[in-house]
Amino acid sequence: MTNVVVVIGAGGIGLAIARRQGFGKTVLLADWNEGTLSAGAEALQSASYKVETRQVDVSSRESVGALAETAAALGSVEQVVNTAGLSPNMAAPEQVIKVDLYGSAVVFEEFGRVIAPGGSGLVISSMAGHMQPPLSPEDEQGLALAPADDLLDLPIVKDVPNSMAAYILAKKANHLRVQGEAMRWGAKGARVNSLSPGIVLTPLALHELNSPIGDGYRAMVDASPARRMAPPEEIAIAAGYLLGPDAGFITGSDLLIDGGVIAAMRAGKLPIPG
């Protein structure tokens, strides 16, 4: 049976992971933007990858469910990687929550139905999740375990004041969500984790660097121990570890890969948002 690697989000990080994980398998590449999806598929196909494409809206359960069914029809769903997301400078708070928080939960739920035994899932979160102020045990429990369709009704989700706060909360929710999903996926012999990059050189990062909040991004780079940004390929290496057999004892965890930005915040070299 054909092994299937599902990559949601055909941007820089998604394509880097698809290249690393998908050779010799069927890559099901999905994205909301048809132009981005077509360009990503062409880049992979020109390098001899076997690629299937589908448009998807992660904020729609119907859309994600259809993608999961497509993946299962292609073969054994071995790996699922969700890189879809909106940055704070791209959308209103409600839309950031719907894509980055609710959408991630829906992907876990829908693909948890079709993941193969021994398979693995990964959501690309963000170092921003480590900037979230402490939450109450009740809020953490809700974000980790509430059915996805109930998440938008949680008080902490409904009270988000702006897009940056929405983004930070959504990424913290990703970290919590993998803990809850680790139990459900584990019942099928599968694992699920999150990966929290810092500033990665992608078109999305360039959009942010050229936006009104760009100076804040540059300050993070300057204050961090690494004093640089990361290429998508560096994130793909970490993703490959979490998805692969060497990480067989890791599930329900988050890996922070930020060049030390969060460490600089803890050391007082940078302000902590919120």
Side-chain angles (χ1 to χ4, degrees):
M1 179 179 287
T2 301
N3 291 335
V4 178
V5 174
V6 180
V7 178
I8 302 173
I13 293 176
L15 284 185
I17 294 174
R19 289 189 190 98
R20 188 170 186 87
Q21 301 301 119
F23 198 79
K25 305 171 185 176
T26 295
V27 177
L28 177 56
L29 188 66
D31 200 289
W32 178 82
N33 186 299
E34 290 183 331
T36 301
L37 180 58
S38 177
E42 184 177 346
L44 291 172
Q45 288 165 342
S46 67
S48 300
Y49 287 79
K50 183 179 180 181
V51 183
E52 297 284 340
T53 62
R54 293 294 185 277
Q55 189 176 22
V56 68
D57 176 1
V58 297
S59 68
S60 163
R61 181 178 289 278
E62 181 180 7
S63 181
V64 176
L67 182 66
E69 294 298 332
T70 297
L74 289 172
S76 177
V77 183
E78 303 290 337
Q79 297 178 1
V80 179
V81 183
N82 179 18
T83 78
L86 294 171
S87 72
N89 202 43
M90 293 174 67
E94 296 79 10
Q95 192 63 20
V96 172
I97 288 290
K98 198 167 184 183
V99 171
D100 293 35
L101 190 155
Y102 172 76
S104 294
V106 168
V107 168
F108 285 139
E109 287 186 358
E110 291 297 322
F111 277 92
R113 296 187 296 104
V114 301
I115 191 69
S120 54
L122 183 68
V123 60
I124 301 301
S125 184
S126 169
M127 67 177 176
H130 293 269
M131 303 174 191
Q132 172 67 45
L135 301 174
S136 71
E138 293 78 15
D139 286 335
E140 289 201 351
Q141 188 83 350
L143 291 170
L145 296 173
D149 291 333
D150 294 341
L151 283 173
L152 299 182
D153 292 325
L154 295 178
I156 190 174
V157 174
K158 296 175 76 172
D159 293 339
V160 177
N162 56 57
S163 293
M164 179 59 78
Y167 184 76
I168 290 172
L169 177 64
K171 298 310 180 180
K172 176 63 174 180
N174 294 162
H175 302 167
L176 294 167
R177 200 72 192 175
V178 296
Q179 295 177 16
E181 289 295 339
M183 304 305 296
R184 287 187 278 264
W185 283 49
K188 298 191 70 172
R191 301 180 298 106
V192 62
N193 292 291
S194 63
L195 178 62
S196 290
I199 303 173
V200 183
L201 281 170
T202 65
L204 178 60
L206 289 176
H207 178 273
E208 297 294 291
L209 287 165
N210 292 321
S211 77
I213 62 174
D215 287 344
Y217 276 66
R218 284 182 279 274
M220 290 181 189
V221 174
D222 291 342
S224 69
R227 296 184 61 82
R228 66 174 176 86
M229 295 178 253
E233 291 75 17
E234 200 164 356
I235 307 306
I237 292 170
Y241 167 68
L242 288 176
L243 290 164
D246 287 344
F249 200 53
I250 302 175
T251 191
S253 295
D254 176 72
L255 176 59
L256 176 63
I257 175 170
D258 71 336
V261 169
I262 297 301
M265 288 184 175
R266 302 290 179 230
K269 303 297 183 182
L270 289 164
I272 299 176

